Amino acid sequence: MSRPRSTESVFRAIADPSRRRMLDLLDTGERTVGDLIGVLNMRKSTATFHLAALMGAGLVRQQRRGRHLMCSLDRRGLQSAQAWLARYTAAHA
């Protein structure tokens, strides 16, 4: 059972441009950690740090497939942020 994600943790996770770029890449489909490292031209330790923040916020899932660690976008993690933003955007629409 996963714990509920706070709106604050989501906003904190997406505040970093490297993490937003990871989300952009994962929006096109599942990728290996190695692929993310290569495309983003970052060290494994840096990528792991950013992926941990995204997973902690409930925005990314990882699954091992053989020798590969696959990452995918978890759109459900954005629900708390979307609900918070909707309060303000609906009032002015």
Short mmCIF file of all heavy atoms in Angstrom, two decimals, residues 16-75:
data_model
loop_
_atom_site.label_atom_id
_atom_site.label_comp_id
_atom_site.label_asym_id
_atom_site.label_seq_id
_atom_site.Cartn_x
_atom_site.Cartn_y
_atom_site.Cartn_z
N ASP A 16 12.77 21.29 -9.82
CA ASP A 16 14.10 21.15 -10.40
C ASP A 16 14.01 20.89 -11.92
O ASP A 16 13.30 19.99 -12.35
CB ASP A 16 14.81 19.97 -9.73
CG ASP A 16 16.24 19.85 -10.17
OD1 ASP A 16 16.46 19.30 -11.27
OD2 ASP A 16 17.12 20.31 -9.43
N PRO A 17 14.72 21.67 -12.73
CA PRO A 17 14.65 21.51 -14.19
C PRO A 17 15.11 20.13 -14.68
O PRO A 17 14.56 19.61 -15.66
CB PRO A 17 15.58 22.60 -14.74
CG PRO A 17 16.04 23.41 -13.60
CD PRO A 17 15.57 22.78 -12.33
N SER A 18 16.07 19.51 -14.01
CA SER A 18 16.51 18.17 -14.41
C SER A 18 15.40 17.15 -14.21
O SER A 18 15.20 16.25 -15.03
CB SER A 18 17.75 17.74 -13.62
OG SER A 18 18.84 18.57 -13.93
N ARG A 19 14.66 17.30 -13.14
CA ARG A 19 13.55 16.38 -12.87
C ARG A 19 12.41 16.59 -13.87
O ARG A 19 11.78 15.64 -14.32
CB ARG A 19 13.06 16.55 -11.43
CG ARG A 19 14.10 16.13 -10.43
CD ARG A 19 13.59 16.31 -9.02
NE ARG A 19 14.73 16.24 -8.12
CZ ARG A 19 14.83 16.90 -7.00
NH1 ARG A 19 13.86 17.69 -6.60
NH2 ARG A 19 15.90 16.78 -6.25
N ARG A 20 12.16 17.85 -14.21
CA ARG A 20 11.12 18.12 -15.22
C ARG A 20 11.53 17.51 -16.55
O ARG A 20 10.69 16.96 -17.27
CB ARG A 20 10.86 19.61 -15.34
CG ARG A 20 10.15 20.20 -14.12
CD ARG A 20 9.59 21.58 -14.38
NE ARG A 20 10.56 22.53 -14.89
CZ ARG A 20 11.34 23.30 -14.13
NH1 ARG A 20 11.26 23.23 -12.81
NH2 ARG A 20 12.19 24.15 -14.68
N ARG A 21 12.81 17.57 -16.88
CA ARG A 21 13.28 16.97 -18.13
C ARG A 21 13.10 15.46 -18.09
O ARG A 21 12.71 14.84 -19.08
CB ARG A 21 14.76 17.34 -18.35
CG ARG A 21 15.35 16.79 -19.61
CD ARG A 21 14.80 17.51 -20.85
NE ARG A 21 15.45 16.95 -22.01
CZ ARG A 21 14.79 16.36 -23.00
NH1 ARG A 21 13.49 16.30 -23.01
NH2 ARG A 21 15.45 15.84 -24.02
N MET A 22 13.37 14.84 -16.94
CA MET A 22 13.14 13.40 -16.80
C MET A 22 11.66 13.08 -17.03
O MET A 22 11.34 12.12 -17.73
CB MET A 22 13.56 12.91 -15.41
CG MET A 22 15.02 12.78 -15.22
SD MET A 22 15.38 12.16 -13.55
CE MET A 22 17.07 11.64 -13.78
N LEU A 23 10.78 13.88 -16.45
CA LEU A 23 9.35 13.66 -16.63
C LEU A 23 8.96 13.83 -18.10
O LEU A 23 8.15 13.06 -18.62
CB LEU A 23 8.54 14.61 -15.75
CG LEU A 23 8.66 14.37 -14.24
CD1 LEU A 23 7.90 15.46 -13.48
CD2 LEU A 23 8.15 12.99 -13.86
N ASP A 24 9.56 14.81 -18.78
CA ASP A 24 9.30 15.00 -20.20
C ASP A 24 9.68 13.75 -20.99
O ASP A 24 8.94 13.31 -21.87
CB ASP A 24 10.06 16.20 -20.76
CG ASP A 24 9.52 17.54 -20.29
OD1 ASP A 24 8.36 17.58 -19.80
OD2 ASP A 24 10.26 18.53 -20.39
N LEU A 25 10.84 13.19 -20.69
CA LEU A 25 11.28 11.98 -21.38
C LEU A 25 10.38 10.79 -21.08
O LEU A 25 10.04 10.01 -21.96
CB LEU A 25 12.73 11.65 -21.00
CG LEU A 25 13.78 12.63 -21.52
CD1 LEU A 25 15.13 12.37 -20.85
CD2 LEU A 25 13.90 12.54 -23.03
N LEU A 26 9.97 10.66 -19.82
CA LEU A 26 9.12 9.54 -19.43
C LEU A 26 7.69 9.70 -19.95
O LEU A 26 6.96 8.72 -20.06
CB LEU A 26 9.14 9.36 -17.91
CG LEU A 26 10.50 8.93 -17.35
CD1 LEU A 26 10.46 8.94 -15.82
CD2 LEU A 26 10.90 7.56 -17.88
N ASP A 27 7.32 10.92 -20.28
CA ASP A 27 5.99 11.15 -20.84
C ASP A 27 5.84 10.47 -22.20
O ASP A 27 4.75 10.13 -22.61
CB ASP A 27 5.73 12.65 -20.96
CG ASP A 27 4.31 12.97 -21.38
OD1 ASP A 27 3.37 12.33 -20.84
OD2 ASP A 27 4.14 13.85 -22.24
N THR A 28 6.95 10.27 -22.89
CA THR A 28 6.91 9.61 -24.20
C THR A 28 6.94 8.10 -24.08
O THR A 28 6.77 7.40 -25.06
CB THR A 28 8.09 10.07 -25.09
OG1 THR A 28 9.31 9.65 -24.49
CG2 THR A 28 8.08 11.58 -25.28
N GLY A 29 7.17 7.59 -22.87
CA GLY A 29 7.18 6.14 -22.65
C GLY A 29 8.24 5.73 -21.65
O GLY A 29 9.06 6.52 -21.20
N GLU A 30 8.19 4.47 -21.34
CA GLU A 30 9.09 3.87 -20.37
C GLU A 30 10.54 3.93 -20.88
O GLU A 30 10.79 3.81 -22.08
CB GLU A 30 8.65 2.41 -20.24
CG GLU A 30 9.12 1.68 -19.06
CD GLU A 30 8.44 0.32 -18.98
OE1 GLU A 30 8.49 -0.45 -19.96
OE2 GLU A 30 7.87 0.05 -17.93
N ARG A 31 11.47 4.14 -19.97
CA ARG A 31 12.90 4.19 -20.31
C ARG A 31 13.71 3.52 -19.22
O ARG A 31 13.31 3.51 -18.06
CB ARG A 31 13.37 5.63 -20.45
CG ARG A 31 12.78 6.35 -21.64
CD ARG A 31 13.33 7.76 -21.70
NE ARG A 31 12.81 8.48 -22.84
CZ ARG A 31 13.49 8.70 -23.96
NH1 ARG A 31 14.71 8.24 -24.09
NH2 ARG A 31 12.96 9.38 -24.95
N THR A 32 14.87 3.04 -19.60
CA THR A 32 15.78 2.48 -18.60
C THR A 32 16.51 3.63 -17.91
O THR A 32 16.60 4.74 -18.45
CB THR A 32 16.83 1.55 -19.24
OG1 THR A 32 17.66 2.33 -20.10
CG2 THR A 32 16.19 0.41 -20.00
N VAL A 33 17.03 3.34 -16.74
CA VAL A 33 17.83 4.34 -16.03
C VAL A 33 19.04 4.71 -16.89
O VAL A 33 19.38 5.88 -17.03
CB VAL A 33 18.27 3.83 -14.64
CG1 VAL A 33 19.25 4.79 -14.00
CG2 VAL A 33 17.06 3.63 -13.74
N GLY A 34 19.65 3.73 -17.51
CA GLY A 34 20.79 3.98 -18.38
C GLY A 34 20.46 4.91 -19.53
O GLY A 34 21.26 5.77 -19.92
N ASP A 35 19.28 4.75 -20.10
CA ASP A 35 18.84 5.62 -21.19
C ASP A 35 18.67 7.05 -20.69
O ASP A 35 19.11 8.00 -21.35
CB ASP A 35 17.53 5.10 -21.78
CG ASP A 35 17.08 5.88 -22.99
OD1 ASP A 35 17.93 6.28 -23.81
OD2 ASP A 35 15.86 6.10 -23.13
N LEU A 36 18.06 7.22 -19.54
CA LEU A 36 17.89 8.56 -18.96
C LEU A 36 19.25 9.22 -18.72
O LEU A 36 19.45 10.39 -19.03
CB LEU A 36 17.10 8.50 -17.65
CG LEU A 36 15.62 8.15 -17.77
CD1 LEU A 36 15.02 7.91 -16.39
CD2 LEU A 36 14.86 9.24 -18.50
N ILE A 37 20.18 8.44 -18.19
CA ILE A 37 21.53 8.96 -17.92
C ILE A 37 22.18 9.43 -19.22
O ILE A 37 22.76 10.51 -19.28
CB ILE A 37 22.39 7.88 -17.23
CG1 ILE A 37 21.88 7.65 -15.80
CG2 ILE A 37 23.86 8.26 -17.22
CD1 ILE A 37 22.48 6.43 -15.13
N GLY A 38 22.05 8.63 -20.26
CA GLY A 38 22.66 8.97 -21.54
C GLY A 38 22.04 10.19 -22.19
O GLY A 38 22.75 11.09 -22.65
N VAL A 39 20.72 10.23 -22.24
CA VAL A 39 20.03 11.35 -22.89
C VAL A 39 20.27 12.65 -22.13
O VAL A 39 20.47 13.70 -22.73
CB VAL A 39 18.51 11.06 -23.01
CG1 VAL A 39 17.76 12.28 -23.48
CG2 VAL A 39 18.27 9.88 -23.95
N LEU A 40 20.26 12.57 -20.81
CA LEU A 40 20.42 13.78 -20.00
C LEU A 40 21.88 14.12 -19.74
O LEU A 40 22.16 15.17 -19.16
CB LEU A 40 19.67 13.61 -18.67
CG LEU A 40 18.16 13.46 -18.81
CD1 LEU A 40 17.54 13.08 -17.48
CD2 LEU A 40 17.54 14.73 -19.36
N ASN A 41 22.78 13.22 -20.14
CA ASN A 41 24.21 13.45 -19.96
C ASN A 41 24.55 13.79 -18.51
O ASN A 41 25.14 14.83 -18.21
CB ASN A 41 24.70 14.55 -20.91
CG ASN A 41 26.21 14.58 -21.00
OD1 ASN A 41 26.86 13.56 -20.84
ND2 ASN A 41 26.75 15.76 -21.24
N MET A 42 24.12 12.91 -17.61
CA MET A 42 24.41 13.12 -16.19
C MET A 42 25.00 11.86 -15.59
O MET A 42 24.88 10.78 -16.15
CB MET A 42 23.18 13.60 -15.42
CG MET A 42 22.03 12.64 -15.34
SD MET A 42 20.64 13.20 -14.29
CE MET A 42 20.20 14.78 -14.90
N ARG A 43 25.65 12.02 -14.47
CA ARG A 43 26.23 10.89 -13.76
C ARG A 43 25.13 10.02 -13.19
O ARG A 43 24.04 10.51 -12.87
CB ARG A 43 27.13 11.37 -12.63
CG ARG A 43 28.36 12.05 -13.11
CD ARG A 43 29.22 12.43 -11.94
NE ARG A 43 30.53 12.80 -12.42
CZ ARG A 43 31.39 13.51 -11.73
NH1 ARG A 43 31.07 13.92 -10.53
NH2 ARG A 43 32.56 13.79 -12.24
N LYS A 44 25.46 8.75 -13.01
CA LYS A 44 24.49 7.81 -12.45
C LYS A 44 24.04 8.26 -11.06
O LYS A 44 22.85 8.20 -10.75
CB LYS A 44 25.08 6.41 -12.39
CG LYS A 44 24.10 5.38 -11.90
CD LYS A 44 24.68 3.98 -11.89
CE LYS A 44 23.64 3.00 -11.40
NZ LYS A 44 24.20 1.63 -11.36
N SER A 45 24.97 8.73 -10.25
CA SER A 45 24.60 9.15 -8.89
C SER A 45 23.64 10.34 -8.92
O SER A 45 22.72 10.43 -8.10
CB SER A 45 25.85 9.50 -8.07
OG SER A 45 26.58 10.55 -8.69
N THR A 46 23.83 11.25 -9.86
CA THR A 46 22.95 12.41 -9.99
C THR A 46 21.57 11.97 -10.45
O THR A 46 20.55 12.40 -9.90
CB THR A 46 23.54 13.43 -10.99
OG1 THR A 46 24.84 13.79 -10.54
CG2 THR A 46 22.67 14.66 -11.10
N ALA A 47 21.52 11.09 -11.45
CA ALA A 47 20.24 10.58 -11.94
C ALA A 47 19.49 9.82 -10.85
O ALA A 47 18.28 9.99 -10.69
CB ALA A 47 20.46 9.69 -13.16
N THR A 48 20.22 9.02 -10.10
CA THR A 48 19.61 8.26 -9.01
C THR A 48 19.02 9.19 -7.96
O THR A 48 17.91 8.95 -7.45
CB THR A 48 20.65 7.32 -8.38
OG1 THR A 48 21.15 6.44 -9.38
CG2 THR A 48 20.06 6.51 -7.23
N PHE A 49 19.72 10.26 -7.65
CA PHE A 49 19.24 11.25 -6.69
C PHE A 49 17.92 11.87 -7.17
O PHE A 49 16.94 11.96 -6.43
CB PHE A 49 20.31 12.33 -6.50
CG PHE A 49 19.85 13.50 -5.67
CD1 PHE A 49 19.80 13.42 -4.29
CD2 PHE A 49 19.46 14.68 -6.28
CE1 PHE A 49 19.37 14.50 -3.52
CE2 PHE A 49 19.03 15.78 -5.53
CZ PHE A 49 18.99 15.67 -4.15
N HIS A 50 17.88 12.29 -8.44
CA HIS A 50 16.68 12.91 -8.98
C HIS A 50 15.53 11.92 -9.10
O HIS A 50 14.38 12.25 -8.81
CB HIS A 50 16.97 13.56 -10.34
CG HIS A 50 17.81 14.78 -10.25
ND1 HIS A 50 17.50 15.86 -9.44
CD2 HIS A 50 18.98 15.12 -10.86
CE1 HIS A 50 18.42 16.80 -9.57
NE2 HIS A 50 19.34 16.37 -10.42
N LEU A 51 15.83 10.70 -9.51
CA LEU A 51 14.78 9.68 -9.61
C LEU A 51 14.20 9.35 -8.24
O LEU A 51 12.99 9.15 -8.11
CB LEU A 51 15.33 8.41 -10.27
CG LEU A 51 15.50 8.51 -11.78
CD1 LEU A 51 16.32 7.32 -12.30
CD2 LEU A 51 14.15 8.58 -12.48
N ALA A 52 15.03 9.35 -7.22
CA ALA A 52 14.54 9.10 -5.85
C ALA A 52 13.56 10.18 -5.43
O ALA A 52 12.53 9.89 -4.80
CB ALA A 52 15.70 9.00 -4.87
N ALA A 53 13.86 11.43 -5.77
CA ALA A 53 12.95 12.53 -5.43
C ALA A 53 11.63 12.39 -6.17
O ALA A 53 10.55 12.60 -5.60
CB ALA A 53 13.60 13.88 -5.75
N LEU A 54 11.70 12.01 -7.44
CA LEU A 54 10.47 11.84 -8.23
C LEU A 54 9.66 10.65 -7.74
O LEU A 54 8.43 10.71 -7.69
CB LEU A 54 10.82 11.67 -9.72
CG LEU A 54 11.39 12.92 -10.40
CD1 LEU A 54 11.95 12.58 -11.77
CD2 LEU A 54 10.32 14.00 -10.50
N MET A 55 10.33 9.58 -7.36
CA MET A 55 9.61 8.42 -6.82
C MET A 55 9.00 8.75 -5.46
O MET A 55 7.88 8.34 -5.17
CB MET A 55 10.54 7.21 -6.72
CG MET A 55 10.87 6.63 -8.08
SD MET A 55 11.81 5.09 -8.02
CE MET A 55 13.26 5.58 -7.13
N GLY A 56 9.73 9.49 -4.64
CA GLY A 56 9.22 9.88 -3.33
C GLY A 56 7.97 10.74 -3.43
O GLY A 56 7.11 10.70 -2.55
N ALA A 57 7.88 11.50 -4.50
CA ALA A 57 6.70 12.34 -4.72
C ALA A 57 5.59 11.58 -5.44
O ALA A 57 4.51 12.12 -5.67
CB ALA A 57 7.09 13.57 -5.55
N GLY A 58 5.86 10.33 -5.79
CA GLY A 58 4.84 9.51 -6.46
C GLY A 58 4.70 9.81 -7.94
O GLY A 58 3.67 9.51 -8.53
N LEU A 59 5.73 10.38 -8.56
CA LEU A 59 5.65 10.76 -9.96
C LEU A 59 6.29 9.75 -10.90
O LEU A 59 6.02 9.76 -12.10
CB LEU A 59 6.31 12.13 -10.17
CG LEU A 59 5.69 13.27 -9.38
CD1 LEU A 59 6.54 14.53 -9.51
CD2 LEU A 59 4.27 13.52 -9.83
N VAL A 60 7.13 8.88 -10.37
CA VAL A 60 7.83 7.89 -11.19
C VAL A 60 7.78 6.54 -10.48
O VAL A 60 7.87 6.48 -9.25
CB VAL A 60 9.31 8.32 -11.43
CG1 VAL A 60 10.12 7.19 -12.05
CG2 VAL A 60 9.37 9.55 -12.31
N ARG A 61 7.63 5.50 -11.29
CA ARG A 61 7.69 4.11 -10.80
C ARG A 61 8.89 3.44 -11.43
O ARG A 61 9.25 3.76 -12.57
CB ARG A 61 6.45 3.32 -11.20
CG ARG A 61 5.19 3.73 -10.53
CD ARG A 61 4.05 2.78 -10.94
NE ARG A 61 3.93 2.69 -12.39
CZ ARG A 61 2.96 3.22 -13.12
NH1 ARG A 61 1.99 3.87 -12.53
NH2 ARG A 61 2.94 3.09 -14.42
N GLN A 62 9.49 2.51 -10.72
CA GLN A 62 10.58 1.71 -11.28
C GLN A 62 10.23 0.24 -11.16
O GLN A 62 9.61 -0.19 -10.19
CB GLN A 62 11.90 1.97 -10.55
CG GLN A 62 12.51 3.30 -10.88
CD GLN A 62 13.88 3.47 -10.24
OE1 GLN A 62 14.22 2.82 -9.26
NE2 GLN A 62 14.67 4.35 -10.81
N GLN A 63 10.65 -0.51 -12.17
CA GLN A 63 10.40 -1.95 -12.18
C GLN A 63 11.60 -2.63 -12.82
O GLN A 63 12.08 -2.20 -13.88
CB GLN A 63 9.14 -2.26 -12.98
CG GLN A 63 8.80 -3.71 -13.05
CD GLN A 63 7.55 -3.95 -13.88
OE1 GLN A 63 7.00 -3.06 -14.50
NE2 GLN A 63 7.11 -5.19 -13.91
N ARG A 64 12.10 -3.67 -12.17
CA ARG A 64 13.24 -4.40 -12.72
C ARG A 64 12.72 -5.40 -13.76
O ARG A 64 11.77 -6.11 -13.52
CB ARG A 64 13.99 -5.13 -11.62
CG ARG A 64 15.15 -5.89 -12.20
CD ARG A 64 16.36 -6.01 -11.33
NE ARG A 64 16.90 -4.83 -10.71
CZ ARG A 64 17.80 -4.01 -11.26
NH1 ARG A 64 18.19 -4.20 -12.49
NH2 ARG A 64 18.29 -3.01 -10.59
N ARG A 65 13.38 -5.37 -14.92
CA ARG A 65 13.11 -6.35 -15.99
C ARG A 65 14.43 -6.95 -16.42
O ARG A 65 15.18 -6.31 -17.15
CB ARG A 65 12.43 -5.69 -17.18
CG ARG A 65 11.01 -5.39 -16.92
CD ARG A 65 10.19 -5.35 -18.19
NE ARG A 65 8.98 -4.62 -17.88
CZ ARG A 65 8.61 -3.51 -18.46
NH1 ARG A 65 9.32 -3.00 -19.44
NH2 ARG A 65 7.50 -2.92 -18.10
N GLY A 66 14.70 -8.11 -15.91
CA GLY A 66 15.99 -8.73 -16.20
C GLY A 66 17.11 -7.89 -15.63
O GLY A 66 17.13 -7.59 -14.45
N ARG A 67 18.00 -7.46 -16.50
CA ARG A 67 19.14 -6.65 -16.05
C ARG A 67 18.83 -5.16 -16.08
O ARG A 67 19.66 -4.34 -15.72
CB ARG A 67 20.33 -6.93 -16.96
CG ARG A 67 20.79 -8.38 -16.87
CD ARG A 67 21.88 -8.66 -17.85
NE ARG A 67 23.05 -7.88 -17.51
CZ ARG A 67 24.18 -7.92 -18.18
NH1 ARG A 67 24.27 -8.68 -19.24
NH2 ARG A 67 25.20 -7.18 -17.83
N HIS A 68 17.66 -4.79 -16.52
CA HIS A 68 17.32 -3.37 -16.70
C HIS A 68 16.36 -2.88 -15.61
O HIS A 68 15.44 -3.60 -15.22
CB HIS A 68 16.67 -3.14 -18.06
CG HIS A 68 17.56 -3.49 -19.19
ND1 HIS A 68 18.62 -2.71 -19.58
CD2 HIS A 68 17.57 -4.57 -20.02
CE1 HIS A 68 19.23 -3.27 -20.59
NE2 HIS A 68 18.62 -4.41 -20.88
N LEU A 69 16.58 -1.66 -15.17
CA LEU A 69 15.68 -0.99 -14.25
C LEU A 69 14.87 0.00 -15.08
O LEU A 69 15.41 0.97 -15.61
CB LEU A 69 16.47 -0.27 -13.15
CG LEU A 69 15.66 0.32 -12.01
CD1 LEU A 69 14.79 -0.75 -11.34
CD2 LEU A 69 16.59 0.94 -10.98
N MET A 70 13.59 -0.29 -15.25
CA MET A 70 12.72 0.50 -16.10
C MET A 70 12.02 1.57 -15.27
O MET A 70 11.55 1.31 -14.16
CB MET A 70 11.66 -0.39 -16.77
CG MET A 70 12.23 -1.55 -17.56
SD MET A 70 13.34 -1.06 -18.90
CE MET A 70 12.21 -0.18 -19.96
N CYS A 71 11.94 2.77 -15.83
CA CYS A 71 11.27 3.89 -15.18
C CYS A 71 10.06 4.28 -16.01
O CYS A 71 10.12 4.29 -17.25
CB CYS A 71 12.20 5.09 -15.09
SG CYS A 71 13.69 4.78 -14.14
N SER A 72 8.99 4.62 -15.34
CA SER A 72 7.79 5.08 -16.05
C SER A 72 7.13 6.20 -15.24
O SER A 72 7.26 6.27 -14.02
CB SER A 72 6.81 3.93 -16.28
OG SER A 72 6.42 3.36 -15.05
N LEU A 73 6.44 7.04 -15.97
CA LEU A 73 5.72 8.16 -15.37
C LEU A 73 4.48 7.63 -14.68
O LEU A 73 3.76 6.80 -15.21
CB LEU A 73 5.34 9.15 -16.47
CG LEU A 73 4.60 10.41 -16.07
CD1 LEU A 73 5.44 11.26 -15.15
CD2 LEU A 73 4.24 11.20 -17.32
N ASP A 74 4.22 8.11 -13.47
CA ASP A 74 3.00 7.76 -12.74
C ASP A 74 2.17 9.02 -12.62
O ASP A 74 2.39 9.86 -11.75
CB ASP A 74 3.34 7.20 -11.36
CG ASP A 74 2.12 6.63 -10.64
OD1 ASP A 74 0.99 6.87 -11.10
OD2 ASP A 74 2.32 5.96 -9.61
N ARG A 75 1.24 9.18 -13.53
CA ARG A 75 0.42 10.40 -13.60
C ARG A 75 -0.45 10.59 -12.35
O ARG A 75 -0.84 11.71 -12.04
CB ARG A 75 -0.45 10.38 -14.85
CG ARG A 75 0.38 10.42 -16.11
CD ARG A 75 -0.48 10.31 -17.35
NE ARG A 75 0.31 9.98 -18.51
CZ ARG A 75 1.11 10.82 -19.14
NH1 ARG A 75 1.23 12.04 -18.72
NH2 ARG A 75 1.79 10.44 -20.20
#
